[in-house]
Structure formats: structure tokens, C-alpha cells
Amino acid sequence: MKNNLKLIPVFAMAALFGTVALSAQSCAAVNHVSNAAVASGTASKELVGATAESAKGAVKLASGVAAVPVWMSGAVVQSGGKVLAAVGDASAQGGEAAAEGAAKMWDFATSDDTARPPLDREAAVPPVKATESASVTPAKTTLPADPSPAEALKATR
């Protein structure tokens, strides 16, 4: 019995330190769970922010890719317009120079600028030729006439 009595203080000390250790572990576990929950919330917030930044970057990339052909077509149209404007300006200046030259030639030839006829832009245009009516056919036709679509449908049925 003596040996059994000696085990009681050892058991009591082990139980005392065991409960303290167990209590410390349970407190540590609660702290770890709390820290893990905070870290998980922070990670979720950063993930949402990263997703938003990624979407923003994708939209910027798509806008940049779409902007290139639009920019190129705008540049082409702009340069084409500048060329046409330059050609139109050159044509207008050429026309003005030709009209001025013609007036000077008239004045030189007649010595009377008041007798110069007014410029009529319709006078130099040839008249429109009258077209032949559909009822007039050439005298000799070597090819047979094609049937109308309605006649062709009747022939095939």
C-alpha cells in the first residue's frame, strides 16, 4: 500500500501540470483559429482586389488591341482626305489659272474685255444623245431571243 500511496502525489502533480498544459493548448488553439480567421479574411479581401485589378487590366488590354485598327483606319482616312483636299485645291487653282489665262488671251486677241462672253459651263457640255427605243430592233438578228422567266418556267413544267 505504501507504494500505491507514493503514486498519488506523482499522479496529482501530473494531473495538475496536465490540466495547465491542456488549458494552455486550448487557449493557443483559440488564438490560432482567431489569427487564421483574420488572415483568411485578409486573403479574401486581397483576392477580390487582385481579381478587380486583373479585370481592369484585361479591359485595358482589350481596349488597346481594339484601338490599333481604329487608329490605323483613322490615319488612313485622314491621309486620304488630305490627299483629296490637296488634289481638289490643285484642281481649283489650275482651273482659276486656266480661266485667267483664257481671259487674258481673249483680251489680247480682241482688245476689248467688255465684249468677252460670260462663262457658261453648260455651253461646253455636249448634248445628251437620244437613246433608241426598245421597239426598234436591228434588221438582221442571228441569235435567238431569250425567253422571259415566265415562259421559261412554263416550258419546264
Side-chain angles (χ1 to χ4, degrees), residues 23-72:
S23 173
Q25 284 180 356
S26 66
C27 288
V30 169
N31 288 340
H32 287 303
V33 168
S34 175
N35 291 342
V38 170
S40 175
T42 304
S44 295
K45 185 170 77 172
E46 288 180 5
L47 179 64
V48 168
T51 302
E53 287 296 319
S54 175
K56 184 178 169 183
V59 167
K60 283 185 176 182
L61 177 67
S63 297
V65 168
V68 170
V70 173
W71 174 74
M72 290 295 290

Side-chain angles (χ1 to χ4, degrees), residues 14 20 54 62 72 74 78 89 98-99 138-139 144 155:
V20 170
S54 175
M72 290 295 290
Q78 182 182 19
D89 289 342

